[in-house]
Amino acid sequence: MVIIEPHIHMYSRTTDDYQRMYDAGIRACVEPSFWLGASRRYAGTFFDYFNLILDFETVRARRFGIDHFAAVSLNPKESEDHVLAKEVIDGIDEYLEHPRCVALGEIGFNNNSREEEYAFERQLHLANERKMPVIIHLPHFDKVKGIELTTGIIKNEGIPEHLVVIDHNTEDSMPLARKTGCYTGMTVYPISKLTPQRVSSLVKEFGSERMIINGSADWGISDPLSLVKVVDFMSRDGHSQNTLKSLLFDNPSSFYSASPKWKPEFDLVPVDPREFQR
Ligand SMILES: [Zn+2]
């Protein structure tokens, strides 16, 4: 089965991970911008990071047979420094225009603060102006408050809902997220976030339409093969191959297809490592 990983931070992963992902059938991925673990102090550091995930990471993934795209944004965790946030958002256009940039994200709330709201609203508006897909991150705590604020901001902006994925849903946020016409994302982690079991139950309850699943692997305890574990568990838990194909291929593909730059190649062949060693 060919799998699309629609949200993963490969910047923090090794080449072994790319090899394991390829072997498991993952053939395309999207890397949203994330918080690096230490806050950046200069707008230029953001812009260099955008270049890195758009240019270098794309080439690195291709060597391992995976077609890699990226999404750029100022992450919610980085919006507290208002002067810096404004400078980054003011300068983000050229990265949104990059041929490998298929979405804006991730944006949204972390602590539901006023500064986060400013960065969220401005960037959502940029996505709406360009009619490009946008990845919205729900806060890790107080998800109900987070989803209420988030859906209010989506409504105010009037962005077409098929351009939006509301990500990192749990049992708490899903009922409200499904009331919108947005795509709804679920993140599978080994310890925190969702397990394959919980994803399986949520799909039984809410259906597979507009549902997207991701592994979101980063520096923390996470797993670039989460989606493969989801396929294994859900097949045993009574879901059809058609449902699995919708969740792990068709839905992420139709979401990113709103960008004309989303033209993944699923038949890339890994390069012999001796050819790119220096
Ligand atoms: Zn993420």
Side-chain angles (χ1 to χ4, degrees):
M1 178 171 181
V2 173
I3 296 174
I4 296 170
E5 171 50 90
H7 182 149
I8 190 161
H9 302 288
M10 294 309 296
Y11 178 87
S12 61
R13 310 303 303 195
T14 64
T15 52
D16 298 14
D17 291 328
Y18 274 127
Q19 288 171 322
R20 290 161 59 220
M21 287 163 69
Y22 181 86
D23 290 343
I26 298 172
R27 290 290 184 275
C29 67
V30 178
E31 169 144 13
S33 300
F34 76 157
W35 179 64
L36 290 180
S39 293
R40 284 166 274 208
R41 294 174 295 164
Y42 315 101
T45 332
F46 283 84
F47 302 142
D48 285 344
Y49 165 72
F50 298 154
N51 274 330
L52 196 147
I53 57 172
L54 289 162
D55 289 331
F56 171 75
E57 204 54 54
T58 297
V59 171
R60 188 165 83 106
R62 178 168 280 264
R63 287 171 173 168
F64 297 97
I66 296 176
D67 206 3
H68 174 287
F69 296 84
V72 300
S73 74
L74 174 96
N75 195 274
K77 265 198 158 165
E78 301 173 299
S79 45
E80 292 304 329
D81 181 339
H82 185 72
V83 174
L84 182 60
K86 188 174 177 310
E87 195 181 346
V88 173
I89 298 168
D90 286 346
I92 209 166
D93 270 33
E94 65 177 280
Y95 306 96
L96 295 174
E97 300 297 328
H98 189 286
R100 300 303 292 190
C101 181
V102 291
L104 189 149
E106 45 199 303
I107 57 173
F109 286 112
N110 186 45
N111 295 316
N112 302 336
S113 75
R114 183 66 204 109
E115 296 305 343
E116 288 173 5
E117 187 174 298
Y118 165 83
F120 183 2
E121 285 176 340
R122 264 201 71 193
Q123 293 182 97
L124 189 66
H125 185 64
L126 289 178
N128 194 13
E129 278 179 335
R130 286 166 183 71
K131 296 289 169 262
M132 73 190 294
V134 54
I135 302 160
I136 298 181
H137 156 113
L138 287 178
H140 297 298
F141 305 102
D142 205 355
K143 293 224 183 234
V144 172
K145 178 94 193 291
I147 183 97
E148 284 169 357
L149 291 170
T150 297
T151 50
I153 284 177
I154 294 169
K155 213 172 256 168
N156 278 349
E157 176 57 36
I159 185 168
E161 289 176 313
H162 75 275
L163 292 177
V164 178
V165 61
I166 302 174
D167 207 350
H168 309 318
N169 281 285
T170 60
E171 294 81 358
D172 292 339
S173 61
M174 195 60 96
L176 289 167
R178 294 298 280 178
K179 280 192 185 147
T180 70
C182 302
Y183 284 84
T184 48
M186 294 179 280
T187 301
V188 179
Y189 264 29
I191 298 173
S192 57
K193 305 204 165 91
L194 296 177
T195 58
Q197 290 88 328
R198 286 167 69 192
V199 167
S200 184
S201 305
L202 282 163
V203 173
K204 282 181 185 169
E205 187 174 352
F206 294 98
S208 57
E209 198 194 331
R210 289 182 287 105
M211 283 282 198
I212 291 183
I213 310 172
N214 60 72
S216 178
D218 54 23
W219 309 111
I221 298 172
S222 51
D223 182 1
L225 301 185
S226 276
L227 296 185
V228 181
K229 287 163 191 163
V230 168
V231 172
D232 286 351
F233 182 85
M234 289 185 71
S235 310
R236 284 184 276 116
D237 202 30
H239 294 275
S240 71
Q241 286 303 303
N242 258 353
T243 300
L244 291 170
K245 185 169 169 288
S246 301
L247 293 168
L248 297 154
F249 187 87
D250 300 336
N251 295 354
S253 194
S254 51
F255 171 66
Y256 286 118
S257 292
S259 166
K261 293 181 262 179
W262 173 253
K263 291 198 172 62
E265 293 175 55
F266 297 110
D267 53 359
L268 296 178
V269 179
V271 177
D272 182 335
R274 281 166 299 193
E275 301 213 355
F276 57 76
Q277 292 295 341
R278 294 183 189 186

